[in-house]
Amino acid sequence: MRTIKAVPITVENFQAYGAFTKVLEPSGYNLGEFYPDRCHFPVNGRVPITFSPLVTYKPEQYIVDNAEFHDYTCEGVIPMDDDVVLHVAPASPGPVPELTEAFIVPKGTAVRLNPGVWHKAALPVHNDVCHVLIVLPERTYHNDCVVVDYAEEDQILI
């Protein structure tokens, strides 16, 4: 099993995987108290965007034993009440666990994962439970989600 370290998310170290904006600490151009267009989330046609609550639990060890990706859409991840560890690997034709990186995402930060980026649920850093808002086009979990379990030798400890 390989071990990696989760690092704080920055524009520079995360740009290959997507984008993010600090919802609880907005900055930059604004219209009064409104900070428009901070994290683009492209969608296609008539498919509505959905906001889905996800409850995640702090594990004893942060072990990456599987990952998923979506071919045709971005995924939004917004930790609501704790900082989270989010693991990602570059978009590729097959799983690339050896390229996995882990980021610490502060609570209240909206993250956009690009199509094809390997990932899985964001896990709490401090609390036993974290509530995460997932943003996806309707039914993505059914019609555009590939999950791959890693062999034991490919699993990663964060």
Side-chain angles (χ1 to χ4, degrees):
M1 180 179 305
R2 191 168 63 92
T3 300
I4 63 174
K5 181 179 170 93
V7 297
I9 192 170
T10 67
V11 171
E12 295 77 22
N13 68 14
F14 195 73
Q15 64 187 351
Y17 305 108
F20 68 93
T21 187
K22 294 182 177 182
V23 176
L24 298 179
E25 299 172 5
S27 62
Y29 172 75
N30 60 75
L31 302 170
E33 297 301 316
F34 177 60
Y35 296 78
D37 304 332
R38 286 300 184 260
C39 190
H40 293 235
F41 194 96
V43 295
N44 183 2
R46 300 173 297 213
V47 178
I49 293 296
T50 63
F51 297 86
S52 303
L54 169 67
V55 181
T56 63
Y57 300 89
K58 186 175 184 178
E60 287 186 30
Q61 291 186 305
Y62 293 85
I63 297 176
V64 179
D65 58 3
N66 64 15
E68 69 179 40
F69 72 91
H70 314 291
D71 262 329
Y72 304 105
T73 187
C74 298
E75 179 170 334
V77 179
I78 308 169
M80 304 302 291
D81 52 5
D82 195 7
D83 302 342
V84 295
V85 172
L86 178 64
H87 70 82
V88 293
S92 61
V96 286
E98 69 279 7
L99 299 179
T100 297
E101 295 187 73
F103 297 94
I104 299 170
V105 179
K107 70 179 176 182
T109 300
V111 174
R112 183 201 74 226
L113 298 175
N114 290 334
V117 169
W118 292 88
H119 64 283
K120 199 61 177 181
L123 298 172
V125 171
H126 308 290
N127 301 334
D128 290 336
V129 177
C130 182
H131 299 86
V132 180
L133 188 60
I134 301 297
V135 183
L136 285 167
E138 184 177 40
R139 295 181 51 78
T140 296
Y141 52 88
H142 176 70
N143 59 32
D144 182 21
C145 185
V146 175
V147 180
V148 174
D149 291 324
Y150 292 159
E152 190 172 335
E153 63 271 12
D154 292 329
Q155 294 178 8
I156 302 140
L157 174 65
I158 301 173

PDB file of all heavy atoms in Angstrom, residues 14-35:
ATOM      1  N   PHE A  14      -4.418  22.422  -7.696  1.00  0.00           N
ATOM      2  CA  PHE A  14      -5.670  21.737  -8.024  1.00  0.00           C
ATOM      3  C   PHE A  14      -6.140  21.983  -9.452  1.00  0.00           C
ATOM      4  O   PHE A  14      -7.058  21.323  -9.918  1.00  0.00           O
ATOM      5  CB  PHE A  14      -6.763  22.144  -7.031  1.00  0.00           C
ATOM      6  CG  PHE A  14      -7.959  21.246  -7.059  1.00  0.00           C
ATOM      7  CD1 PHE A  14      -7.905  19.970  -6.525  1.00  0.00           C
ATOM      8  CD2 PHE A  14      -9.139  21.659  -7.651  1.00  0.00           C
ATOM      9  CE1 PHE A  14      -8.997  19.121  -6.572  1.00  0.00           C
ATOM     10  CE2 PHE A  14     -10.246  20.828  -7.697  1.00  0.00           C
ATOM     11  CZ  PHE A  14     -10.170  19.550  -7.158  1.00  0.00           C
ATOM     12  N   GLN A  15      -5.518  22.892 -10.173  1.00  0.00           N
ATOM     13  CA  GLN A  15      -6.037  23.304 -11.477  1.00  0.00           C
ATOM     14  C   GLN A  15      -6.163  22.168 -12.485  1.00  0.00           C
ATOM     15  O   GLN A  15      -7.023  22.224 -13.366  1.00  0.00           O
ATOM     16  CB  GLN A  15      -5.225  24.450 -12.046  1.00  0.00           C
ATOM     17  CG  GLN A  15      -3.795  24.126 -12.359  1.00  0.00           C
ATOM     18  CD  GLN A  15      -3.018  25.369 -12.757  1.00  0.00           C
ATOM     19  OE1 GLN A  15      -3.573  26.432 -12.952  1.00  0.00           O
ATOM     20  NE2 GLN A  15      -1.708  25.222 -12.862  1.00  0.00           N
ATOM     21  N   ALA A  16      -5.374  21.121 -12.375  1.00  0.00           N
ATOM     22  CA  ALA A  16      -5.486  19.994 -13.311  1.00  0.00           C
ATOM     23  C   ALA A  16      -6.769  19.190 -13.090  1.00  0.00           C
ATOM     24  O   ALA A  16      -7.192  18.456 -13.984  1.00  0.00           O
ATOM     25  CB  ALA A  16      -4.278  19.068 -13.162  1.00  0.00           C
ATOM     26  N   TYR A  17      -7.382  19.333 -11.928  1.00  0.00           N
ATOM     27  CA  TYR A  17      -8.559  18.531 -11.576  1.00  0.00           C
ATOM     28  C   TYR A  17      -9.865  19.300 -11.647  1.00  0.00           C
ATOM     29  O   TYR A  17     -10.936  18.709 -11.690  1.00  0.00           O
ATOM     30  CB  TYR A  17      -8.399  17.951 -10.171  1.00  0.00           C
ATOM     31  CG  TYR A  17      -7.127  17.159 -10.021  1.00  0.00           C
ATOM     32  CD1 TYR A  17      -6.070  17.650  -9.273  1.00  0.00           C
ATOM     33  CD2 TYR A  17      -6.972  15.929 -10.659  1.00  0.00           C
ATOM     34  CE1 TYR A  17      -4.892  16.930  -9.148  1.00  0.00           C
ATOM     35  CE2 TYR A  17      -5.802  15.218 -10.541  1.00  0.00           C
ATOM     36  CZ  TYR A  17      -4.760  15.715  -9.783  1.00  0.00           C
ATOM     37  OH  TYR A  17      -3.593  15.011  -9.663  1.00  0.00           O
ATOM     38  N   GLY A  18      -9.801  20.638 -11.601  1.00  0.00           N
ATOM     39  CA  GLY A  18     -11.015  21.440 -11.616  1.00  0.00           C
ATOM     40  C   GLY A  18     -10.762  22.817 -11.044  1.00  0.00           C
ATOM     41  O   GLY A  18      -9.692  23.399 -11.237  1.00  0.00           O
ATOM     42  N   ALA A  19     -11.742  23.326 -10.314  1.00  0.00           N
ATOM     43  CA  ALA A  19     -11.646  24.668  -9.742  1.00  0.00           C
ATOM     44  C   ALA A  19     -12.381  24.689  -8.413  1.00  0.00           C
ATOM     45  O   ALA A  19     -13.095  23.746  -8.063  1.00  0.00           O
ATOM     46  CB  ALA A  19     -12.266  25.691 -10.692  1.00  0.00           C
ATOM     47  N   PHE A  20     -12.225  25.791  -7.657  1.00  0.00           N
ATOM     48  CA  PHE A  20     -12.944  25.923  -6.393  1.00  0.00           C
ATOM     49  C   PHE A  20     -13.086  27.393  -6.038  1.00  0.00           C
ATOM     50  O   PHE A  20     -12.407  28.255  -6.583  1.00  0.00           O
ATOM     51  CB  PHE A  20     -12.241  25.153  -5.266  1.00  0.00           C
ATOM     52  CG  PHE A  20     -10.911  25.732  -4.868  1.00  0.00           C
ATOM     53  CD1 PHE A  20     -10.816  26.644  -3.830  1.00  0.00           C
ATOM     54  CD2 PHE A  20      -9.755  25.364  -5.527  1.00  0.00           C
ATOM     55  CE1 PHE A  20      -9.589  27.179  -3.464  1.00  0.00           C
ATOM     56  CE2 PHE A  20      -8.528  25.885  -5.168  1.00  0.00           C
ATOM     57  CZ  PHE A  20      -8.441  26.802  -4.127  1.00  0.00           C
ATOM     58  N   THR A  21     -14.006  27.671  -5.108  1.00  0.00           N
ATOM     59  CA  THR A  21     -14.179  29.018  -4.573  1.00  0.00           C
ATOM     60  C   THR A  21     -14.592  28.905  -3.120  1.00  0.00           C
ATOM     61  O   THR A  21     -15.309  27.974  -2.741  1.00  0.00           O
ATOM     62  CB  THR A  21     -15.212  29.831  -5.379  1.00  0.00           C
ATOM     63  OG1 THR A  21     -15.211  31.173  -4.925  1.00  0.00           O
ATOM     64  CG2 THR A  21     -16.614  29.251  -5.259  1.00  0.00           C
ATOM     65  N   LYS A  22     -14.127  29.816  -2.313  1.00  0.00           N
ATOM     66  CA  LYS A  22     -14.453  29.810  -0.887  1.00  0.00           C
ATOM     67  C   LYS A  22     -15.789  30.526  -0.669  1.00  0.00           C
ATOM     68  O   LYS A  22     -15.853  31.747  -0.667  1.00  0.00           O
ATOM     69  CB  LYS A  22     -13.335  30.459  -0.078  1.00  0.00           C
ATOM     70  CG  LYS A  22     -12.050  29.672  -0.127  1.00  0.00           C
ATOM     71  CD  LYS A  22     -10.975  30.303   0.712  1.00  0.00           C
ATOM     72  CE  LYS A  22      -9.729  29.431   0.682  1.00  0.00           C
ATOM     73  NZ  LYS A  22      -8.673  29.993   1.528  1.00  0.00           N
ATOM     74  N   VAL A  23     -16.829  29.759  -0.459  1.00  0.00           N
ATOM     75  CA  VAL A  23     -18.176  30.293  -0.296  1.00  0.00           C
ATOM     76  C   VAL A  23     -18.287  31.100   0.992  1.00  0.00           C
ATOM     77  O   VAL A  23     -18.966  32.135   1.028  1.00  0.00           O
ATOM     78  CB  VAL A  23     -19.220  29.149  -0.314  1.00  0.00           C
ATOM     79  CG1 VAL A  23     -20.614  29.679  -0.055  1.00  0.00           C
ATOM     80  CG2 VAL A  23     -19.145  28.391  -1.635  1.00  0.00           C
ATOM     81  N   LEU A  24     -17.629  30.669   2.052  1.00  0.00           N
ATOM     82  CA  LEU A  24     -17.727  31.350   3.340  1.00  0.00           C
ATOM     83  C   LEU A  24     -16.774  32.536   3.457  1.00  0.00           C
ATOM     84  O   LEU A  24     -16.882  33.326   4.390  1.00  0.00           O
ATOM     85  CB  LEU A  24     -17.478  30.366   4.487  1.00  0.00           C
ATOM     86  CG  LEU A  24     -18.474  29.224   4.586  1.00  0.00           C
ATOM     87  CD1 LEU A  24     -18.110  28.296   5.742  1.00  0.00           C
ATOM     88  CD2 LEU A  24     -19.896  29.731   4.739  1.00  0.00           C
ATOM     89  N   GLU A  25     -15.824  32.651   2.532  1.00  0.00           N
ATOM     90  CA  GLU A  25     -14.865  33.764   2.531  1.00  0.00           C
ATOM     91  C   GLU A  25     -14.680  34.276   1.109  1.00  0.00           C
ATOM     92  O   GLU A  25     -13.581  34.218   0.546  1.00  0.00           O
ATOM     93  CB  GLU A  25     -13.522  33.308   3.097  1.00  0.00           C
ATOM     94  CG  GLU A  25     -13.575  32.819   4.519  1.00  0.00           C
ATOM     95  CD  GLU A  25     -12.251  32.199   4.961  1.00  0.00           C
ATOM     96  OE1 GLU A  25     -11.256  32.239   4.199  1.00  0.00           O
ATOM     97  OE2 GLU A  25     -12.224  31.666   6.082  1.00  0.00           O
ATOM     98  N   PRO A  26     -15.744  34.810   0.471  1.00  0.00           N
ATOM     99  CA  PRO A  26     -15.619  35.252  -0.917  1.00  0.00           C
ATOM    100  C   PRO A  26     -14.705  36.470  -1.028  1.00  0.00           C
ATOM    101  O   PRO A  26     -14.558  37.247  -0.089  1.00  0.00           O
ATOM    102  CB  PRO A  26     -17.057  35.594  -1.307  1.00  0.00           C
ATOM    103  CG  PRO A  26     -17.742  35.900  -0.024  1.00  0.00           C
ATOM    104  CD  PRO A  26     -17.079  35.053   1.022  1.00  0.00           C
ATOM    105  N   SER A  27     -14.094  36.598  -2.193  1.00  0.00           N
ATOM    106  CA  SER A  27     -13.225  37.750  -2.432  1.00  0.00           C
ATOM    107  C   SER A  27     -13.259  38.092  -3.910  1.00  0.00           C
ATOM    108  O   SER A  27     -13.779  37.336  -4.730  1.00  0.00           O
ATOM    109  CB  SER A  27     -11.794  37.443  -1.987  1.00  0.00           C
ATOM    110  OG  SER A  27     -11.271  36.377  -2.749  1.00  0.00           O
ATOM    111  N   GLY A  28     -12.676  39.225  -4.254  1.00  0.00           N
ATOM    112  CA  GLY A  28     -12.597  39.641  -5.644  1.00  0.00           C
ATOM    113  C   GLY A  28     -13.794  40.457  -6.073  1.00  0.00           C
ATOM    114  O   GLY A  28     -14.533  41.014  -5.250  1.00  0.00           O
ATOM    115  N   TYR A  29     -13.998  40.532  -7.380  1.00  0.00           N
ATOM    116  CA  TYR A  29     -15.077  41.318  -7.968  1.00  0.00           C
ATOM    117  C   TYR A  29     -16.406  40.975  -7.312  1.00  0.00           C
ATOM    118  O   TYR A  29     -16.710  39.800  -7.077  1.00  0.00           O
ATOM    119  CB  TYR A  29     -15.148  41.056  -9.475  1.00  0.00           C
ATOM    120  CG  TYR A  29     -16.348  41.685 -10.131  1.00  0.00           C
ATOM    121  CD1 TYR A  29     -16.408  43.059 -10.365  1.00  0.00           C
ATOM    122  CD2 TYR A  29     -17.433  40.914 -10.496  1.00  0.00           C
ATOM    123  CE1 TYR A  29     -17.508  43.633 -10.957  1.00  0.00           C
ATOM    124  CE2 TYR A  29     -18.544  41.473 -11.092  1.00  0.00           C
ATOM    125  CZ  TYR A  29     -18.578  42.836 -11.319  1.00  0.00           C
ATOM    126  OH  TYR A  29     -19.696  43.399 -11.896  1.00  0.00           O
ATOM    127  N   ASN A  30     -17.200  41.990  -7.011  1.00  0.00           N
ATOM    128  CA  ASN A  30     -18.502  41.746  -6.389  1.00  0.00           C
ATOM    129  C   ASN A  30     -19.485  42.827  -6.770  1.00  0.00           C
ATOM    130  O   ASN A  30     -19.107  43.908  -7.223  1.00  0.00           O
ATOM    131  CB  ASN A  30     -18.364  41.652  -4.867  1.00  0.00           C
ATOM    132  CG  ASN A  30     -17.802  42.923  -4.288  1.00  0.00           C
ATOM    133  OD1 ASN A  30     -18.497  43.925  -4.196  1.00  0.00           O
ATOM    134  ND2 ASN A  30     -16.537  42.899  -3.901  1.00  0.00           N
ATOM    135  N   LEU A  31     -20.730  42.507  -6.589  1.00  0.00           N
ATOM    136  CA  LEU A  31     -21.829  43.455  -6.745  1.00  0.00           C
ATOM    137  C   LEU A  31     -22.437  43.602  -5.357  1.00  0.00           C
ATOM    138  O   LEU A  31     -23.398  42.930  -5.016  1.00  0.00           O
ATOM    139  CB  LEU A  31     -22.863  42.939  -7.744  1.00  0.00           C
ATOM    140  CG  LEU A  31     -22.327  42.642  -9.148  1.00  0.00           C
ATOM    141  CD1 LEU A  31     -23.366  41.906  -9.974  1.00  0.00           C
ATOM    142  CD2 LEU A  31     -21.886  43.924  -9.828  1.00  0.00           C
ATOM    143  N   GLY A  32     -21.822  44.427  -4.544  1.00  0.00           N
ATOM    144  CA  GLY A  32     -22.222  44.527  -3.146  1.00  0.00           C
ATOM    145  C   GLY A  32     -21.805  43.272  -2.412  1.00  0.00           C
ATOM    146  O   GLY A  32     -20.625  42.944  -2.334  1.00  0.00           O
ATOM    147  N   GLU A  33     -22.774  42.538  -1.907  1.00  0.00           N
ATOM    148  CA  GLU A  33     -22.496  41.302  -1.173  1.00  0.00           C
ATOM    149  C   GLU A  33     -22.611  40.055  -2.054  1.00  0.00           C
ATOM    150  O   GLU A  33     -22.554  38.942  -1.562  1.00  0.00           O
ATOM    151  CB  GLU A  33     -23.453  41.174   0.015  1.00  0.00           C
ATOM    152  CG  GLU A  33     -23.300  42.283   1.042  1.00  0.00           C
ATOM    153  CD  GLU A  33     -21.891  42.354   1.628  1.00  0.00           C
ATOM    154  OE1 GLU A  33     -21.333  41.286   1.962  1.00  0.00           O
ATOM    155  OE2 GLU A  33     -21.346  43.465   1.718  1.00  0.00           O
ATOM    156  N   PHE A  34     -22.765  40.251  -3.355  1.00  0.00           N
ATOM    157  CA  PHE A  34     -22.907  39.147  -4.306  1.00  0.00           C
ATOM    158  C   PHE A  34     -21.619  39.016  -5.107  1.00  0.00           C
ATOM    159  O   PHE A  34     -21.147  39.969  -5.711  1.00  0.00           O
ATOM    160  CB  PHE A  34     -24.091  39.413  -5.235  1.00  0.00           C
ATOM    161  CG  PHE A  34     -24.302  38.377  -6.296  1.00  0.00           C
ATOM    162  CD1 PHE A  34     -24.550  37.053  -5.957  1.00  0.00           C
ATOM    163  CD2 PHE A  34     -24.271  38.725  -7.644  1.00  0.00           C
ATOM    164  CE1 PHE A  34     -24.759  36.094  -6.941  1.00  0.00           C
ATOM    165  CE2 PHE A  34     -24.477  37.772  -8.625  1.00  0.00           C
ATOM    166  CZ  PHE A  34     -24.722  36.459  -8.276  1.00  0.00           C
ATOM    167  N   TYR A  35     -21.026  37.809  -5.118  1.00  0.00           N
ATOM    168  CA  TYR A  35     -19.779  37.529  -5.815  1.00  0.00           C
ATOM    169  C   TYR A  35     -20.085  36.590  -6.984  1.00  0.00           C
ATOM    170  O   TYR A  35     -20.071  35.371  -6.820  1.00  0.00           O
ATOM    171  CB  TYR A  35     -18.768  36.889  -4.854  1.00  0.00           C
ATOM    172  CG  TYR A  35     -18.373  37.808  -3.729  1.00  0.00           C
ATOM    173  CD1 TYR A  35     -19.198  38.020  -2.630  1.00  0.00           C
ATOM    174  CD2 TYR A  35     -17.156  38.484  -3.779  1.00  0.00           C
ATOM    175  CE1 TYR A  35     -18.831  38.872  -1.608  1.00  0.00           C
ATOM    176  CE2 TYR A  35     -16.781  39.340  -2.756  1.00  0.00           C
ATOM    177  CZ  TYR A  35     -17.624  39.530  -1.681  1.00  0.00           C
ATOM    178  OH  TYR A  35     -17.249  40.381  -0.674  1.00  0.00           O
TER     179      TYR A  35
END
